[in-house]
Amino acid sequence: MKTAVNTATAPTLALAMADFKEITKARLAISVVFSSLAGYLLGAPQIEVVSLLLLAFGGYCMVGASNAYNQIIEKDLDALMKRTENRPIPAGRMSVNKALFLAILLTVLGVVSLYILNPKTAMFGAISIFLYTSCYTPLKTKTPLAVFVGAIPGAIPFMLGWVAATNEFGIAPGTLFMIQFFWQFPHFWALGWMLDDDYKRGGFKMLPTGKKDKGTALQIIMYTIWMLVISVVPAFGITGRLQLSIPAAVIIFLMGMVMLIFAFLLYEKRDNVTARKLMLASVSYITLMQVVYVVDKFI
C-alpha cells in the first residue's frame, strides 16, 4: 500500500513542479537571476554569500510572480496560440485562484528578500512587476510600443544587482540598464519575427511595423548598433566605478558585430531561419557580455 501511494505521489509532484516551472518561466527567470548576479559582482566592493543568495531567491520570485500574473491575465489568449496552449491555466491543470495565490506569494517573498538587501533594490523589483503586469501585458494587444514599455522592466535585472551591492543608483547602474534595454529590441523582435503568425492568433502586436518587412529589420539594425555602442562606453572611463579594459571592450565589440551581421542578413533575407539565428546570437551575446564584464573586473 505504501509503495502504491509513493508511486502515485511521484508523478503528481513531478507534474506540479513542471507546472511551477512553466508558470514562472523558469528558464527566463534563471537568465534574469544570472544578470542580477553579474550586476552584483560588478558593483560589490566585497562579495557576501548571503546577499548573493537573497538576490538570487528574490530575483527569481519577482520574475516568477510577473510571469504568473501575465499568464492569469492572458489565459484566454494563451489558449489561442500553439506555443502557449499547454500552459497550466489554459490547459486546465491550474486554476486562476491557485495561480493568483502563487503570484501573490512570490511577490511577497521577492519584495521581502530584496528589502533585506536594501530598500532601493526592493523598490526597483516592485517597479519591475508593476510595469510588466500593469503596462506591458495589456499593451501587447494594443500597440507595438508594448515592446518599448516591456524593455524597461526587462532591463532592470542587470542594474538591480549593482544596486543590491551598493544601495546606490547612478551612472554605473544606469549604464548597465541601458545595455540590457537596447539589447531587448533585436532580441524580442527576432523572436516576434519567428512567432509572428502565432502571436497574431492571440492578437499580439509585437513587430514595430506590424510586418516582417525591411522596416522592422532596419529598426533591429539600429537598436543593435545602439546596444553595441553602449556596451563599450565603460572603456572610455566616463561611467564611474563601472570600468572596462580595452581588450575586454574589443571582445564585446566583436561579439556585438556578430549580432549586427545577423541583423543585416535579416534585412536582406527576411526569413524565419535568419531571425532564429539572430535570436540565438542575442542570447549568447547578453550572457557572454556579462561574463566578460565580470571576468574583466577580477583579473
Side-chain angles (χ1 to χ4, degrees):
M1 182 70 175
K2 185 176 180 180
T3 303
V5 171
N6 290 340
T7 303
T9 303
T12 303
L13 180 60
L15 183 59
M17 286 301 299
D19 283 343
F20 176 81
K21 288 164 62 178
E22 181 68 26
I23 202 164
T24 60
K25 292 188 179 178
R27 291 176 62 183
L28 172 62
I30 290 171
S31 70
V32 169
V33 168
F34 181 87
S35 293
S36 298
L37 295 180
Y40 177 91
L41 293 174
L42 289 173
Q46 59 183 27
I47 298 171
E48 298 178 0
V49 175
V50 173
S51 295
L52 280 172
L53 292 175
L54 283 170
L55 180 60
F57 178 75
Y60 189 100
C61 287
M62 301 299 265
V63 179
S66 297
N67 289 322
Y69 288 126
N70 174 267
Q71 291 183 42
I72 292 168
I73 295 168
E74 295 181 349
K75 64 183 187 303
D76 295 330
L77 300 180
D78 281 347
L80 301 176
M81 297 182 290
K82 292 180 180 178
R83 70 182 189 87
T84 56
E85 63 186 3
N86 197 41
R87 282 177 173 173
I89 300 176
R93 298 191 305 274
M94 183 181 294
S95 68
V96 170
N97 287 340
K98 286 183 179 179
L100 183 59
F101 173 79
L102 178 62
I104 294 172
L105 177 62
L106 288 172
T107 302
V108 173
L109 291 174
V111 170
V112 170
S113 298
L114 297 182
Y115 189 85
I116 292 172
L117 289 169
N118 59 65
K120 282 191 181 73
T121 306
M123 178 190 71
F124 281 120
I127 288 173
S128 176
I129 288 183
F130 173 79
L131 288 175
Y132 190 88
T133 303
S134 302
C135 300
Y136 168 67
T137 295
L139 282 174
K140 285 161 67 178
T141 57
K142 306 297 183 184
T143 171
L145 287 175
V147 174
F148 180 88
V149 176
I152 298 173
I156 286 177
F158 201 15
M159 172 201 78
L160 190 74
W162 184 288
V163 176
T166 65
N167 196 25
E168 297 174 357
F169 180 79
I171 185 67
T175 301
L176 298 181
F177 174 89
M178 292 305 292
I179 293 171
Q180 199 150 355
F181 177 79
F182 283 110
W183 167 81
Q184 287 183 86
F185 292 94
H187 172 73
F188 281 111
W189 283 335
L191 185 63
W193 189 296
M194 292 165 49
L195 301 174
D196 186 52
D197 291 338
D198 211 23
Y199 275 131
K200 285 179 178 175
R201 291 189 188 97
F204 294 127
K205 303 176 187 233
M206 303 304 289
L207 297 179
T209 66
K211 302 176 183 178
K212 299 194 286 188
D213 58 8
K214 285 190 173 183
T216 289
L218 182 60
Q219 291 199 47
I220 288 174
I221 291 170
M222 293 172 61
Y223 278 94
T224 302
I225 291 172
W226 275 112
M227 175 206 75
L228 185 52
V229 170
I230 299 297
S231 294
V232 299
V233 160
F236 295 94
I238 58 175
T239 53
R241 289 203 302 114
L242 179 64
Q243 299 180 5
L244 192 66
S245 70
I246 297 302
V250 170
I251 293 172
I252 289 172
F253 179 81
L254 292 175
M255 291 192 304
M257 285 301 297
V258 173
M259 263 189 74
L260 189 57
I261 288 170
F262 281 120
F264 275 108
L265 286 174
L266 184 61
Y267 181 84
E268 178 185 347
K269 297 184 177 181
R270 299 191 299 283
D271 61 3
N272 287 351
V273 173
T274 309
R276 177 176 172 77
K277 290 178 180 178
L278 174 59
M279 187 273 294
L280 293 174
S282 70
V283 172
S284 299
Y285 176 83
I286 196 67
T287 303
L288 294 175
M289 178 272 297
Q290 290 167 350
V291 170
V292 171
Y293 261 88
V294 172
V295 171
D296 187 59
K297 175 188 174 180
F298 289 99
I299 60 173

